[in-house]
Amino acid sequence: ISMLAGLICMPVNSVAQVQTGGFVFAGTMRNYLVFLPQHYDGVRTMPVVLNLHGFTLDAQQQLNYSRMNDVADTAGFIVVYPNALNNRWEVSDVGFINALIDTLSRQFSINKDMVYCCGFSLGGVASFELACQLSNKIAAVASVGGPISRAAASGPKADHQMPVLLVHGTADELIPYDGTTQLCSVAQTLEYWVSF
């Protein structure tokens, strides 16, 4: 399926569906997948969950791996799976996610007070970055296998209390539980948010 400059809008019936969308941001075509749950009618506002993939993965793999669509269909929320450039989230992606939320609010009936972000591995690290730098649009975050980066922990703070969920295993060989030179440990991540 080729990516188009605008969101591909399909008729909305009471059937769950995945749509492809895209727009040019900072001179580069950016794209994403949107899952509309079966009860989406375009009238009632629904919460949105941004679901960020890990390094080397993409939006389609995250959709398949996380299986969040099943939950969204029964709980009644929209899931958006953005693609990072070169499969790697960067600090500059805060602007892309900001523009993506604005785009979604124009295209769909979303509850702008209930925009959440979750991610896996590097997508989880990016979720914490968004919690700090885009808290005016992000209500809460969850990360699986991705602590807060040291740069985010020492940078701008969220402008409201931020509900946080972190799931991380001690046997994680890619992102160690005790952190790295660039990433805080799990304990430091939790302490950062508890203190905040």
Side-chain angles (χ1 to χ4, degrees):
I1 299 174
S2 62
M3 303 322 270
L4 301 176
L7 184 64
I8 299 171
C9 293
M10 298 164 39
V12 177
N13 335 4
S14 287
V15 177
Q17 56 184 304
V18 176
Q19 299 182 6
T20 303
F23 58 88
V24 175
F25 177 77
T28 303
M29 177 57 110
R30 302 298 300 265
N31 55 66
Y32 51 93
L33 301 173
V34 177
F35 174 78
L36 298 175
Q38 62 182 334
H39 297 296
Y40 177 80
D41 60 12
V43 177
R44 257 182 329 132
T45 62
M46 286 190 158
V48 174
V49 175
L50 304 169
N51 192 332
L52 309 183
H53 61 77
F55 180 53
T56 75
L57 302 176
D58 63 24
Q60 185 64 55
Q61 290 169 310
Q62 185 68 7
L63 182 154
N64 296 340
Y65 179 72
S66 69
R67 298 178 59 191
M68 188 172 277
N69 294 359
D70 296 340
V71 178
D73 216 17
T74 57
F77 60 90
I78 298 167
V79 189
V80 180
Y81 303 90
N83 270 311
L85 290 177
N86 302 313
N87 306 100
R88 182 180 183 87
W89 297 106
E90 302 285 348
V91 173
S92 60
D93 282 319
V94 171
F96 164 58
I97 297 297
N98 185 37
L100 175 58
I101 294 169
D102 291 343
T103 299
L104 295 169
S105 68
R106 288 190 300 270
Q107 296 290 331
F108 301 103
S109 182
I110 69 169
N111 183 335
K112 291 191 258 184
D113 294 326
M114 298 179 78
V115 176
Y116 306 99
C117 188
C118 67
F120 170 65
S121 192
L122 190 56
V125 175
S127 294
F128 285 131
E129 186 78 38
L130 293 169
C132 293
Q133 293 197 36
L134 201 57
S135 61
N136 62 319
K137 293 186 178 179
I138 303 291
V141 296
S143 172
V144 175
I148 193 169
S149 70
R150 295 189 187 280
S154 62
K157 306 282 188 233
D159 61 9
H160 64 84
Q161 290 183 334
M162 184 66 63
V164 167
L165 171 68
L166 175 58
V167 178
H168 202 117
T170 56
D172 190 329
E173 294 178 2
L174 295 178
I175 299 183
Y177 190 87
D178 292 327
T180 67
T181 56
Q182 296 178 327
L183 299 172
C184 291
S185 68
V186 169
Q188 290 168 330
T189 299
L190 296 175
E191 180 56 33
Y192 172 87
W193 290 109
V194 168
S195 297
F196 177 72

PDB file of all heavy atoms in Angstrom, residues 22-58:
ATOM      1  N   GLY A  22      -0.611   9.585   6.309  1.00  0.00           N
ATOM      2  CA  GLY A  22       0.707  10.164   6.210  1.00  0.00           C
ATOM      3  C   GLY A  22       0.637  11.646   5.901  1.00  0.00           C
ATOM      4  O   GLY A  22      -0.379  12.143   5.427  1.00  0.00           O
ATOM      5  N   PHE A  23       1.709  12.347   6.202  1.00  0.00           N
ATOM      6  CA  PHE A  23       1.836  13.759   5.867  1.00  0.00           C
ATOM      7  C   PHE A  23       3.317  14.115   5.863  1.00  0.00           C
ATOM      8  O   PHE A  23       4.159  13.388   6.392  1.00  0.00           O
ATOM      9  CB  PHE A  23       1.055  14.653   6.843  1.00  0.00           C
ATOM     10  CG  PHE A  23       1.449  14.510   8.289  1.00  0.00           C
ATOM     11  CD1 PHE A  23       2.480  15.265   8.834  1.00  0.00           C
ATOM     12  CD2 PHE A  23       0.783  13.608   9.115  1.00  0.00           C
ATOM     13  CE1 PHE A  23       2.840  15.136  10.167  1.00  0.00           C
ATOM     14  CE2 PHE A  23       1.131  13.468  10.448  1.00  0.00           C
ATOM     15  CZ  PHE A  23       2.167  14.239  10.978  1.00  0.00           C
ATOM     16  N   VAL A  24       3.625  15.223   5.220  1.00  0.00           N
ATOM     17  CA  VAL A  24       5.008  15.684   5.172  1.00  0.00           C
ATOM     18  C   VAL A  24       5.291  16.494   6.432  1.00  0.00           C
ATOM     19  O   VAL A  24       4.561  17.427   6.763  1.00  0.00           O
ATOM     20  CB  VAL A  24       5.264  16.534   3.907  1.00  0.00           C
ATOM     21  CG1 VAL A  24       6.676  17.119   3.936  1.00  0.00           C
ATOM     22  CG2 VAL A  24       5.055  15.693   2.660  1.00  0.00           C
ATOM     23  N   PHE A  25       6.343  16.104   7.140  1.00  0.00           N
ATOM     24  CA  PHE A  25       6.771  16.840   8.325  1.00  0.00           C
ATOM     25  C   PHE A  25       8.256  17.115   8.200  1.00  0.00           C
ATOM     26  O   PHE A  25       9.047  16.205   7.955  1.00  0.00           O
ATOM     27  CB  PHE A  25       6.486  16.031   9.610  1.00  0.00           C
ATOM     28  CG  PHE A  25       6.975  16.716  10.849  1.00  0.00           C
ATOM     29  CD1 PHE A  25       6.268  17.775  11.385  1.00  0.00           C
ATOM     30  CD2 PHE A  25       8.167  16.335  11.443  1.00  0.00           C
ATOM     31  CE1 PHE A  25       6.735  18.447  12.509  1.00  0.00           C
ATOM     32  CE2 PHE A  25       8.642  16.992  12.567  1.00  0.00           C
ATOM     33  CZ  PHE A  25       7.915  18.052  13.095  1.00  0.00           C
ATOM     34  N   ALA A  26       8.647  18.369   8.352  1.00  0.00           N
ATOM     35  CA  ALA A  26      10.049  18.791   8.241  1.00  0.00           C
ATOM     36  C   ALA A  26      10.674  18.292   6.940  1.00  0.00           C
ATOM     37  O   ALA A  26      11.811  17.821   6.924  1.00  0.00           O
ATOM     38  CB  ALA A  26      10.844  18.322   9.453  1.00  0.00           C
ATOM     39  N   GLY A  27       9.891  18.350   5.865  1.00  0.00           N
ATOM     40  CA  GLY A  27      10.390  17.992   4.547  1.00  0.00           C
ATOM     41  C   GLY A  27      10.453  16.506   4.253  1.00  0.00           C
ATOM     42  O   GLY A  27      10.952  16.105   3.201  1.00  0.00           O
ATOM     43  N   THR A  28       9.949  15.691   5.153  1.00  0.00           N
ATOM     44  CA  THR A  28      10.008  14.235   4.981  1.00  0.00           C
ATOM     45  C   THR A  28       8.614  13.637   5.133  1.00  0.00           C
ATOM     46  O   THR A  28       7.862  14.028   6.031  1.00  0.00           O
ATOM     47  CB  THR A  28      10.937  13.598   6.040  1.00  0.00           C
ATOM     48  OG1 THR A  28      12.229  14.204   5.927  1.00  0.00           O
ATOM     49  CG2 THR A  28      11.074  12.105   5.850  1.00  0.00           C
ATOM     50  N   MET A  29       8.279  12.703   4.260  1.00  0.00           N
ATOM     51  CA  MET A  29       7.003  12.011   4.376  1.00  0.00           C
ATOM     52  C   MET A  29       7.025  11.110   5.600  1.00  0.00           C
ATOM     53  O   MET A  29       7.932  10.291   5.761  1.00  0.00           O
ATOM     54  CB  MET A  29       6.731  11.176   3.127  1.00  0.00           C
ATOM     55  CG  MET A  29       5.455  10.382   3.224  1.00  0.00           C
ATOM     56  SD  MET A  29       4.036  11.416   3.536  1.00  0.00           S
ATOM     57  CE  MET A  29       3.212  11.309   1.993  1.00  0.00           C
ATOM     58  N   ARG A  30       6.074  11.308   6.492  1.00  0.00           N
ATOM     59  CA  ARG A  30       5.932  10.477   7.692  1.00  0.00           C
ATOM     60  C   ARG A  30       4.611   9.730   7.593  1.00  0.00           C
ATOM     61  O   ARG A  30       3.622  10.269   7.070  1.00  0.00           O
ATOM     62  CB  ARG A  30       5.951  11.341   8.963  1.00  0.00           C
ATOM     63  CG  ARG A  30       7.208  12.189   9.129  1.00  0.00           C
ATOM     64  CD  ARG A  30       8.478  11.369   9.252  1.00  0.00           C
ATOM     65  NE  ARG A  30       8.486  10.464  10.370  1.00  0.00           N
ATOM     66  CZ  ARG A  30       9.018  10.739  11.556  1.00  0.00           C
ATOM     67  NH1 ARG A  30       9.590  11.911  11.771  1.00  0.00           N
ATOM     68  NH2 ARG A  30       8.985   9.852  12.520  1.00  0.00           N
ATOM     69  N   ASN A  31       4.562   8.514   8.073  1.00  0.00           N
ATOM     70  CA  ASN A  31       3.336   7.727   7.952  1.00  0.00           C
ATOM     71  C   ASN A  31       3.023   6.962   9.219  1.00  0.00           C
ATOM     72  O   ASN A  31       3.854   6.858  10.125  1.00  0.00           O
ATOM     73  CB  ASN A  31       3.424   6.787   6.743  1.00  0.00           C
ATOM     74  CG  ASN A  31       4.645   5.907   6.812  1.00  0.00           C
ATOM     75  OD1 ASN A  31       4.758   5.058   7.688  1.00  0.00           O
ATOM     76  ND2 ASN A  31       5.584   6.110   5.895  1.00  0.00           N
ATOM     77  N   TYR A  32       1.813   6.432   9.257  1.00  0.00           N
ATOM     78  CA  TYR A  32       1.301   5.779  10.453  1.00  0.00           C
ATOM     79  C   TYR A  32       0.079   4.944  10.094  1.00  0.00           C
ATOM     80  O   TYR A  32      -0.506   5.102   9.007  1.00  0.00           O
ATOM     81  CB  TYR A  32       0.930   6.818  11.520  1.00  0.00           C
ATOM     82  CG  TYR A  32       0.026   7.912  10.990  1.00  0.00           C
ATOM     83  CD1 TYR A  32      -1.361   7.815  11.085  1.00  0.00           C
ATOM     84  CD2 TYR A  32       0.554   9.032  10.360  1.00  0.00           C
ATOM     85  CE1 TYR A  32      -2.185   8.806  10.574  1.00  0.00           C
ATOM     86  CE2 TYR A  32      -0.259  10.024   9.849  1.00  0.00           C
ATOM     87  CZ  TYR A  32      -1.633   9.905   9.957  1.00  0.00           C
ATOM     88  OH  TYR A  32      -2.443  10.881   9.436  1.00  0.00           O
ATOM     89  N   LEU A  33      -0.304   4.065  10.990  1.00  0.00           N
ATOM     90  CA  LEU A  33      -1.520   3.270  10.871  1.00  0.00           C
ATOM     91  C   LEU A  33      -2.495   3.712  11.950  1.00  0.00           C
ATOM     92  O   LEU A  33      -2.084   4.044  13.062  1.00  0.00           O
ATOM     93  CB  LEU A  33      -1.218   1.774  11.046  1.00  0.00           C
ATOM     94  CG  LEU A  33      -0.223   1.169  10.040  1.00  0.00           C
ATOM     95  CD1 LEU A  33       0.113  -0.265  10.441  1.00  0.00           C
ATOM     96  CD2 LEU A  33      -0.780   1.226   8.636  1.00  0.00           C
ATOM     97  N   VAL A  34      -3.777   3.715  11.623  1.00  0.00           N
ATOM     98  CA  VAL A  34      -4.826   4.074  12.583  1.00  0.00           C
ATOM     99  C   VAL A  34      -5.815   2.918  12.644  1.00  0.00           C
ATOM    100  O   VAL A  34      -6.336   2.491  11.608  1.00  0.00           O
ATOM    101  CB  VAL A  34      -5.577   5.354  12.150  1.00  0.00           C
ATOM    102  CG1 VAL A  34      -6.714   5.663  13.119  1.00  0.00           C
ATOM    103  CG2 VAL A  34      -4.634   6.532  12.041  1.00  0.00           C
ATOM    104  N   PHE A  35      -6.063   2.436  13.860  1.00  0.00           N
ATOM    105  CA  PHE A  35      -7.097   1.414  14.061  1.00  0.00           C
ATOM    106  C   PHE A  35      -8.321   2.083  14.648  1.00  0.00           C
ATOM    107  O   PHE A  35      -8.262   2.691  15.721  1.00  0.00           O
ATOM    108  CB  PHE A  35      -6.619   0.315  15.010  1.00  0.00           C
ATOM    109  CG  PHE A  35      -7.702  -0.679  15.341  1.00  0.00           C
ATOM    110  CD1 PHE A  35      -8.055  -1.669  14.446  1.00  0.00           C
ATOM    111  CD2 PHE A  35      -8.390  -0.589  16.542  1.00  0.00           C
ATOM    112  CE1 PHE A  35      -9.083  -2.569  14.738  1.00  0.00           C
ATOM    113  CE2 PHE A  35      -9.414  -1.478  16.851  1.00  0.00           C
ATOM    114  CZ  PHE A  35      -9.758  -2.471  15.945  1.00  0.00           C
ATOM    115  N   LEU A  36      -9.446   1.974  13.928  1.00  0.00           N
ATOM    116  CA  LEU A  36     -10.726   2.484  14.422  1.00  0.00           C
ATOM    117  C   LEU A  36     -11.530   1.316  14.956  1.00  0.00           C
ATOM    118  O   LEU A  36     -11.796   0.359  14.220  1.00  0.00           O
ATOM    119  CB  LEU A  36     -11.504   3.177  13.291  1.00  0.00           C
ATOM    120  CG  LEU A  36     -10.829   4.399  12.679  1.00  0.00           C
ATOM    121  CD1 LEU A  36     -11.647   4.914  11.506  1.00  0.00           C
ATOM    122  CD2 LEU A  36     -10.627   5.485  13.725  1.00  0.00           C
ATOM    123  N   PRO A  37     -11.925   1.341  16.225  1.00  0.00           N
ATOM    124  CA  PRO A  37     -12.688   0.225  16.792  1.00  0.00           C
ATOM    125  C   PRO A  37     -14.074   0.124  16.160  1.00  0.00           C
ATOM    126  O   PRO A  37     -14.556   1.070  15.535  1.00  0.00           O
ATOM    127  CB  PRO A  37     -12.775   0.566  18.272  1.00  0.00           C
ATOM    128  CG  PRO A  37     -12.620   2.040  18.336  1.00  0.00           C
ATOM    129  CD  PRO A  37     -11.731   2.424  17.190  1.00  0.00           C
ATOM    130  N   GLN A  38     -14.695  -1.011  16.342  1.00  0.00           N
ATOM    131  CA  GLN A  38     -15.963  -1.288  15.662  1.00  0.00           C
ATOM    132  C   GLN A  38     -17.073  -0.305  16.003  1.00  0.00           C
ATOM    133  O   GLN A  38     -17.964  -0.089  15.187  1.00  0.00           O
ATOM    134  CB  GLN A  38     -16.412  -2.718  15.949  1.00  0.00           C
ATOM    135  CG  GLN A  38     -16.688  -3.002  17.419  1.00  0.00           C
ATOM    136  CD  GLN A  38     -17.090  -4.437  17.655  1.00  0.00           C
ATOM    137  OE1 GLN A  38     -17.617  -5.084  16.759  1.00  0.00           O
ATOM    138  NE2 GLN A  38     -16.845  -4.936  18.855  1.00  0.00           N
ATOM    139  N   HIS A  39     -17.031   0.319  17.175  1.00  0.00           N
ATOM    140  CA  HIS A  39     -18.109   1.240  17.550  1.00  0.00           C
ATOM    141  C   HIS A  39     -17.771   2.699  17.263  1.00  0.00           C
ATOM    142  O   HIS A  39     -18.496   3.590  17.687  1.00  0.00           O
ATOM    143  CB  HIS A  39     -18.491   1.047  19.019  1.00  0.00           C
ATOM    144  CG  HIS A  39     -19.025  -0.327  19.291  1.00  0.00           C
ATOM    145  ND1 HIS A  39     -20.193  -0.792  18.736  1.00  0.00           N
ATOM    146  CD2 HIS A  39     -18.530  -1.345  20.036  1.00  0.00           C
ATOM    147  CE1 HIS A  39     -20.401  -2.039  19.126  1.00  0.00           C
ATOM    148  NE2 HIS A  39     -19.403  -2.387  19.919  1.00  0.00           N
ATOM    149  N   TYR A  40     -16.680   2.939  16.533  1.00  0.00           N
ATOM    150  CA  TYR A  40     -16.356   4.309  16.148  1.00  0.00           C
ATOM    151  C   TYR A  40     -17.419   4.800  15.158  1.00  0.00           C
ATOM    152  O   TYR A  40     -17.681   4.159  14.143  1.00  0.00           O
ATOM    153  CB  TYR A  40     -14.971   4.388  15.508  1.00  0.00           C
ATOM    154  CG  TYR A  40     -14.643   5.791  15.032  1.00  0.00           C
ATOM    155  CD1 TYR A  40     -14.211   6.755  15.932  1.00  0.00           C
ATOM    156  CD2 TYR A  40     -14.785   6.149  13.697  1.00  0.00           C
ATOM    157  CE1 TYR A  40     -13.925   8.049  15.517  1.00  0.00           C
ATOM    158  CE2 TYR A  40     -14.500   7.437  13.277  1.00  0.00           C
ATOM    159  CZ  TYR A  40     -14.086   8.376  14.178  1.00  0.00           C
ATOM    160  OH  TYR A  40     -13.815   9.659  13.770  1.00  0.00           O
ATOM    161  N   ASP A  41     -18.043   5.935  15.483  1.00  0.00           N
ATOM    162  CA  ASP A  41     -19.101   6.448  14.599  1.00  0.00           C
ATOM    163  C   ASP A  41     -18.805   7.843  14.062  1.00  0.00           C
ATOM    164  O   ASP A  41     -19.592   8.414  13.303  1.00  0.00           O
ATOM    165  CB  ASP A  41     -20.457   6.442  15.322  1.00  0.00           C
ATOM    166  CG  ASP A  41     -20.474   7.298  16.579  1.00  0.00           C
ATOM    167  OD1 ASP A  41     -19.529   8.088  16.798  1.00  0.00           O
ATOM    168  OD2 ASP A  41     -21.445   7.179  17.358  1.00  0.00           O
ATOM    169  N   GLY A  42     -17.671   8.409  14.451  1.00  0.00           N
ATOM    170  CA  GLY A  42     -17.316   9.729  13.962  1.00  0.00           C
ATOM    171  C   GLY A  42     -18.025  10.864  14.670  1.00  0.00           C
ATOM    172  O   GLY A  42     -17.784  12.034  14.386  1.00  0.00           O
ATOM    173  N   VAL A  43     -18.908  10.532  15.611  1.00  0.00           N
ATOM    174  CA  VAL A  43     -19.660  11.550  16.352  1.00  0.00           C
ATOM    175  C   VAL A  43     -19.169  11.612  17.793  1.00  0.00           C
ATOM    176  O   VAL A  43     -18.724  12.644  18.275  1.00  0.00           O
ATOM    177  CB  VAL A  43     -21.179  11.252  16.297  1.00  0.00           C
ATOM    178  CG1 VAL A  43     -21.937  12.273  17.132  1.00  0.00           C
ATOM    179  CG2 VAL A  43     -21.663  11.232  14.855  1.00  0.00           C
ATOM    180  N   ARG A  44     -19.251  10.477  18.483  1.00  0.00           N
ATOM    181  CA  ARG A  44     -18.762  10.398  19.859  1.00  0.00           C
ATOM    182  C   ARG A  44     -17.249  10.483  19.864  1.00  0.00           C
ATOM    183  O   ARG A  44     -16.578   9.832  19.053  1.00  0.00           O
ATOM    184  CB  ARG A  44     -19.136   9.035  20.452  1.00  0.00           C
ATOM    185  CG  ARG A  44     -20.287   9.022  21.384  1.00  0.00           C
ATOM    186  CD  ARG A  44     -20.536   7.636  21.951  1.00  0.00           C
ATOM    187  NE  ARG A  44     -20.162   6.562  21.045  1.00  0.00           N
ATOM    188  CZ  ARG A  44     -19.446   5.517  21.389  1.00  0.00           C
ATOM    189  NH1 ARG A  44     -19.004   5.374  22.607  1.00  0.00           N
ATOM    190  NH2 ARG A  44     -19.149   4.586  20.503  1.00  0.00           N
ATOM    191  N   THR A  45     -16.688  11.276  20.787  1.00  0.00           N
ATOM    192  CA  THR A  45     -15.228  11.330  20.883  1.00  0.00           C
ATOM    193  C   THR A  45     -14.714  10.073  21.568  1.00  0.00           C
ATOM    194  O   THR A  45     -15.394   9.503  22.431  1.00  0.00           O
ATOM    195  CB  THR A  45     -14.748  12.572  21.661  1.00  0.00           C
ATOM    196  OG1 THR A  45     -15.247  12.507  23.002  1.00  0.00           O
ATOM    197  CG2 THR A  45     -15.198  13.852  20.977  1.00  0.00           C
ATOM    198  N   MET A  46     -13.543   9.653  21.161  1.00  0.00           N
ATOM    199  CA  MET A  46     -12.916   8.464  21.743  1.00  0.00           C
ATOM    200  C   MET A  46     -11.499   8.790  22.184  1.00  0.00           C
ATOM    201  O   MET A  46     -10.831   9.625  21.575  1.00  0.00           O
ATOM    202  CB  MET A  46     -12.867   7.327  20.720  1.00  0.00           C
ATOM    203  CG  MET A  46     -14.181   6.666  20.453  1.00  0.00           C
ATOM    204  SD  MET A  46     -13.917   5.161  19.467  1.00  0.00           S
ATOM    205  CE  MET A  46     -15.423   4.286  19.887  1.00  0.00           C
ATOM    206  N   PRO A  47     -11.020   8.098  23.226  1.00  0.00           N
ATOM    207  CA  PRO A  47      -9.607   8.228  23.602  1.00  0.00           C
ATOM    208  C   PRO A  47      -8.714   7.705  22.475  1.00  0.00           C
ATOM    209  O   PRO A  47      -9.160   6.924  21.625  1.00  0.00           O
ATOM    210  CB  PRO A  47      -9.481   7.336  24.838  1.00  0.00           C
ATOM    211  CG  PRO A  47     -10.869   7.126  25.320  1.00  0.00           C
ATOM    212  CD  PRO A  47     -11.747   7.198  24.120  1.00  0.00           C
ATOM    213  N   VAL A  48      -7.457   8.118  22.504  1.00  0.00           N
ATOM    214  CA  VAL A  48      -6.463   7.682  21.519  1.00  0.00           C
ATOM    215  C   VAL A  48      -5.234   7.163  22.258  1.00  0.00           C
ATOM    216  O   VAL A  48      -4.792   7.779  23.227  1.00  0.00           O
ATOM    217  CB  VAL A  48      -6.030   8.851  20.608  1.00  0.00           C
ATOM    218  CG1 VAL A  48      -4.890   8.438  19.680  1.00  0.00           C
ATOM    219  CG2 VAL A  48      -7.202   9.367  19.803  1.00  0.00           C
ATOM    220  N   VAL A  49      -4.694   6.039  21.789  1.00  0.00           N
ATOM    221  CA  VAL A  49      -3.430   5.523  22.303  1.00  0.00           C
ATOM    222  C   VAL A  49      -2.429   5.513  21.151  1.00  0.00           C
ATOM    223  O   VAL A  49      -2.669   4.891  20.114  1.00  0.00           O
ATOM    224  CB  VAL A  49      -3.577   4.103  22.885  1.00  0.00           C
ATOM    225  CG1 VAL A  49      -2.213   3.544  23.288  1.00  0.00           C
ATOM    226  CG2 VAL A  49      -4.520   4.095  24.071  1.00  0.00           C
ATOM    227  N   LEU A  50      -1.325   6.234  21.337  1.00  0.00           N
ATOM    228  CA  LEU A  50      -0.212   6.189  20.404  1.00  0.00           C
ATOM    229  C   LEU A  50       0.667   5.023  20.823  1.00  0.00           C
ATOM    230  O   LEU A  50       1.115   4.969  21.967  1.00  0.00           O
ATOM    231  CB  LEU A  50       0.583   7.494  20.456  1.00  0.00           C
ATOM    232  CG  LEU A  50      -0.212   8.767  20.198  1.00  0.00           C
ATOM    233  CD1 LEU A  50       0.626   9.997  20.543  1.00  0.00           C
ATOM    234  CD2 LEU A  50      -0.689   8.829  18.766  1.00  0.00           C
ATOM    235  N   ASN A  51       0.922   4.082  19.924  1.00  0.00           N
ATOM    236  CA  ASN A  51       1.645   2.859  20.247  1.00  0.00           C
ATOM    237  C   ASN A  51       2.937   2.830  19.433  1.00  0.00           C
ATOM    238  O   ASN A  51       2.913   2.589  18.231  1.00  0.00           O
ATOM    239  CB  ASN A  51       0.745   1.653  19.931  1.00  0.00           C
ATOM    240  CG  ASN A  51       1.270   0.364  20.496  1.00  0.00           C
ATOM    241  OD1 ASN A  51       2.457   0.188  20.681  1.00  0.00           O
ATOM    242  ND2 ASN A  51       0.364  -0.573  20.737  1.00  0.00           N
ATOM    243  N   LEU A  52       4.082   3.089  20.098  1.00  0.00           N
ATOM    244  CA  LEU A  52       5.360   3.270  19.422  1.00  0.00           C
ATOM    245  C   LEU A  52       6.182   1.982  19.379  1.00  0.00           C
ATOM    246  O   LEU A  52       6.398   1.338  20.405  1.00  0.00           O
ATOM    247  CB  LEU A  52       6.175   4.358  20.128  1.00  0.00           C
ATOM    248  CG  LEU A  52       5.465   5.699  20.385  1.00  0.00           C
ATOM    249  CD1 LEU A  52       6.435   6.680  21.034  1.00  0.00           C
ATOM    250  CD2 LEU A  52       4.882   6.272  19.110  1.00  0.00           C
ATOM    251  N   HIS A  53       6.654   1.651  18.195  1.00  0.00           N
ATOM    252  CA  HIS A  53       7.450   0.435  17.992  1.00  0.00           C
ATOM    253  C   HIS A  53       8.865   0.591  18.540  1.00  0.00           C
ATOM    254  O   HIS A  53       9.353   1.696  18.782  1.00  0.00           O
ATOM    255  CB  HIS A  53       7.508   0.077  16.507  1.00  0.00           C
ATOM    256  CG  HIS A  53       8.151   1.120  15.643  1.00  0.00           C
ATOM    257  ND1 HIS A  53       9.521   1.295  15.577  1.00  0.00           N
ATOM    258  CD2 HIS A  53       7.618   2.052  14.806  1.00  0.00           C
ATOM    259  CE1 HIS A  53       9.803   2.260  14.737  1.00  0.00           C
ATOM    260  NE2 HIS A  53       8.665   2.759  14.254  1.00  0.00           N
ATOM    261  N   GLY A  54       9.543  -0.532  18.681  1.00  0.00           N
ATOM    262  CA  GLY A  54      10.931  -0.545  19.124  1.00  0.00           C
ATOM    263  C   GLY A  54      11.894  -0.363  17.959  1.00  0.00           C
ATOM    264  O   GLY A  54      11.490  -0.357  16.788  1.00  0.00           O
ATOM    265  N   PHE A  55      13.168  -0.238  18.280  1.00  0.00           N
ATOM    266  CA  PHE A  55      14.219  -0.083  17.275  1.00  0.00           C
ATOM    267  C   PHE A  55      14.238  -1.305  16.364  1.00  0.00           C
ATOM    268  O   PHE A  55      14.119  -2.428  16.842  1.00  0.00           O
ATOM    269  CB  PHE A  55      15.569   0.110  17.969  1.00  0.00           C
ATOM    270  CG  PHE A  55      16.722   0.281  17.033  1.00  0.00           C
ATOM    271  CD1 PHE A  55      16.692   1.232  16.031  1.00  0.00           C
ATOM    272  CD2 PHE A  55      17.854  -0.512  17.153  1.00  0.00           C
ATOM    273  CE1 PHE A  55      17.758   1.401  15.169  1.00  0.00           C
ATOM    274  CE2 PHE A  55      18.933  -0.357  16.303  1.00  0.00           C
ATOM    275  CZ  PHE A  55      18.879   0.595  15.308  1.00  0.00           C
ATOM    276  N   THR A  56      14.419  -1.090  15.086  1.00  0.00           N
ATOM    277  CA  THR A  56      14.417  -2.078  13.991  1.00  0.00           C
ATOM    278  C   THR A  56      13.018  -2.564  13.629  1.00  0.00           C
ATOM    279  O   THR A  56      12.858  -3.269  12.642  1.00  0.00           O
ATOM    280  CB  THR A  56      15.320  -3.313  14.241  1.00  0.00           C
ATOM    281  OG1 THR A  56      14.701  -4.189  15.186  1.00  0.00           O
ATOM    282  CG2 THR A  56      16.716  -2.920  14.704  1.00  0.00           C
ATOM    283  N   LEU A  57      12.002  -2.199  14.381  1.00  0.00           N
ATOM    284  CA  LEU A  57      10.632  -2.610  14.059  1.00  0.00           C
ATOM    285  C   LEU A  57       9.930  -1.480  13.315  1.00  0.00           C
ATOM    286  O   LEU A  57      10.498  -0.420  13.093  1.00  0.00           O
ATOM    287  CB  LEU A  57       9.875  -2.963  15.342  1.00  0.00           C
ATOM    288  CG  LEU A  57      10.498  -4.070  16.199  1.00  0.00           C
ATOM    289  CD1 LEU A  57       9.705  -4.244  17.490  1.00  0.00           C
ATOM    290  CD2 LEU A  57      10.560  -5.377  15.437  1.00  0.00           C
ATOM    291  N   ASP A  58       8.665  -1.722  12.942  1.00  0.00           N
ATOM    292  CA  ASP A  58       7.875  -0.679  12.302  1.00  0.00           C
ATOM    293  C   ASP A  58       6.444  -0.742  12.822  1.00  0.00           C
ATOM    294  O   ASP A  58       6.102  -1.578  13.663  1.00  0.00           O
ATOM    295  CB  ASP A  58       7.935  -0.776  10.773  1.00  0.00           C
ATOM    296  CG  ASP A  58       7.335  -2.065  10.213  1.00  0.00           C
ATOM    297  OD1 ASP A  58       6.472  -2.701  10.874  1.00  0.00           O
ATOM    298  OD2 ASP A  58       7.717  -2.448   9.094  1.00  0.00           O
TER     299      ASP A  58
END
